[in-house]
Amino acid sequence: MAYRNKNELLDIEGDLFGWDDESSISLTNEALERDAAAERQIELESALEHDEHPLHDEVELETEEEEAAPTSEKLLKREIRAEAVRRLEEAARTEADFSVVIKEWDKLDQNRERRERNYEHLRGDLPLDYQAVSEPKLIPRWMNDTAYRQMMAGNFLDILFNCPYEMHQLTADPFISRMIEELSDDHKEVLYFLSLRLWSATQLALAREQSDRNIRKLRKTIHKGLQRQMFDYLHSKRERGRSLTLRERQFIEEYLALEEEQGKDTVIRRENKNNRRKGKPPLATGTAEGE
């Protein structure tokens, strides 16, 4: 069985998923342009509505003179008005009284909205990427990528260690780092692509020129060894009186429950969220009555 070298295995991801599809990129840019145009239209309509129906300062809580007052005076006035509103709420008994309370709260909301209006960007439910220029002349879009911005900020360790043979450097836990470092190169590759890159067993089998059944069997072997080491470490940690997190305690309880059933082959698998398919009943072999 022929294995691919390290460079071929690391570069094969782009071939599997087809990142260089020009048609998909053009369709994405067109969709972004349409959404950005719709967003600008909504902002224009909102601005026109504010021009036609402006909020009147005389019905708001604070006037321009009160806003220009020192901070201590404004805080004192706000505390007095808040106390007045609280007393109105406690004394309200009739429908007219509650209408007065609602009117006071409306004034508070109008004043808050007026303060925040200059700092709000009315985007609705659209993400920030929709306002990005499709082909900027100064700063290209690929510079907004998370990995590139992290590298330019000097946080390049995650990029350097994003490799099957250096991924043990990605964790600060010395036990987990040593446990992963002691794996063989073959096990590191399988663990990296299945757990970090989230490849499926079929994709990794295609890259390694193996069967997906062999990949799943190898994954089970890796998980069984790692989980056994983790259980022994956490169990000894608890015996020494060290505190454990909730997730660590749940792992110990689940592992102990499975160990009683499976013995030395204990391994915690991911739950299958799909319901098991019911088997069809066997076909009747006998003859019907009366034949």
Side-chain angles (χ1 to χ4, degrees):
M1 180 178 56
Y3 290 95
R4 296 181 182 270
N5 56 34
K6 300 178 181 179
N7 295 329
E8 292 177 348
L9 192 59
L10 291 175
D11 296 338
I12 200 170
E13 183 179 12
D15 298 334
L16 288 176
F17 295 100
W19 301 110
D20 298 329
D21 192 358
E22 297 293 340
S23 60
S24 61
I25 296 176
S26 60
L27 292 176
T28 303
N29 292 338
E30 293 178 0
L32 292 177
E33 292 176 359
R34 289 195 301 269
D35 294 332
E39 182 182 357
R40 288 192 293 268
Q41 182 66 23
I42 293 175
E43 292 180 355
L44 179 60
E45 294 176 357
S46 177
L48 292 176
E49 183 179 358
H50 283 302
D51 292 339
E52 294 177 359
H53 305 284
L55 294 177
H56 301 286
D57 291 339
E58 60 270 11
V59 301
E60 295 183 354
L61 183 60
E62 294 182 356
T63 61
E64 295 181 358
E65 296 179 357
E66 292 175 340
E67 288 186 355
T71 306
S72 59
E73 295 182 5
K74 290 194 293 184
L75 292 177
L76 181 59
K77 291 181 180 179
R78 291 173 186 173
E79 292 177 358
I80 294 174
R81 284 170 176 154
E83 181 66 20
V85 173
R86 187 183 66 82
R87 292 186 178 183
L88 285 176
E89 291 178 347
E90 294 178 353
R93 294 294 183 271
T94 63
E95 183 178 355
D97 296 339
F98 283 106
S99 299
V100 174
V101 175
I102 294 174
K103 185 177 180 181
E104 292 296 329
W105 277 111
D106 290 341
K107 289 181 180 180
L108 290 173
D109 290 338
Q110 291 175 2
N111 184 70
R112 177 185 55 80
E113 292 175 359
R114 180 170 58 86
R115 288 176 176 275
E116 297 175 353
R117 195 174 304 131
N118 295 331
Y119 304 98
E120 288 181 347
H121 190 62
L122 304 178
R123 304 194 58 85
D125 297 332
L126 298 176
L128 293 175
D129 294 341
Y130 286 2
Q131 203 181 25
V133 181
S134 58
E135 295 181 359
K137 298 180 180 179
L138 183 60
I139 301 177
R141 292 188 60 184
W142 58 268
M143 285 189 176
N144 290 326
D145 184 68
T146 304
Y148 179 81
R149 294 174 62 182
Q150 186 178 10
M151 182 177 61
M152 296 303 295
N155 302 325
F156 48 83
L157 294 180
D158 291 346
I159 300 174
L160 292 178
F161 298 142
N162 188 14
C163 171
Y165 317 104
E166 299 291 340
M167 62 179 176
H168 61 276
Q169 301 286 355
L170 295 175
T171 177
D173 192 312
F175 173 77
I176 298 178
S177 179
R178 183 176 66 256
M179 182 174 58
I180 297 177
E181 185 180 9
E182 292 175 354
L183 293 175
S184 63
D185 291 345
D186 192 29
H187 287 186
K188 287 180 180 179
E189 292 176 0
V190 175
L191 182 64
Y192 173 79
F193 285 103
L194 293 182
S195 300
L196 296 185
R197 291 297 184 91
L198 300 180
W199 283 20
S200 64
T202 305
Q203 293 171 344
L204 186 57
L206 179 63
R208 292 170 57 90
E209 298 181 355
Q210 294 177 303
S211 63
D212 55 348
R213 181 180 179 182
N214 190 9
I215 296 297
R216 289 193 297 269
K217 184 178 179 180
L218 187 58
R219 177 178 59 186
K220 180 181 177 181
T221 303
I222 297 171
H223 288 179
K224 182 174 65 175
L226 294 178
Q227 290 177 10
R228 185 63 196 182
Q229 295 181 49
M230 179 60 68
F231 173 77
D232 294 339
Y233 170 73
L234 295 179
H235 184 70
S236 62
K237 185 178 179 180
R238 187 175 63 176
E239 292 294 331
R240 295 194 303 267
R242 305 288 296 276
S243 61
L244 300 177
T245 62
L246 176 61
R247 188 175 183 181
E248 292 173 345
R249 293 195 299 268
Q250 291 176 350
F251 171 77
I252 292 178
E253 295 175 359
E254 186 176 359
Y255 193 88
L256 286 175
L258 291 176
E259 190 177 20
E260 296 178 356
E261 301 176 0
Q262 302 178 6
K264 62 179 181 179
D265 295 331
T266 303
V267 58
I268 300 176
R269 299 184 181 182
R270 292 183 299 178
E271 295 182 359
N272 187 7
K273 298 182 180 180
N274 297 326
N275 296 328
R276 185 181 296 273
R277 182 180 299 176
K278 296 182 179 179
K280 295 182 179 180
L283 297 176
T285 56
T287 58
E289 295 181 359
E291 291 183 359

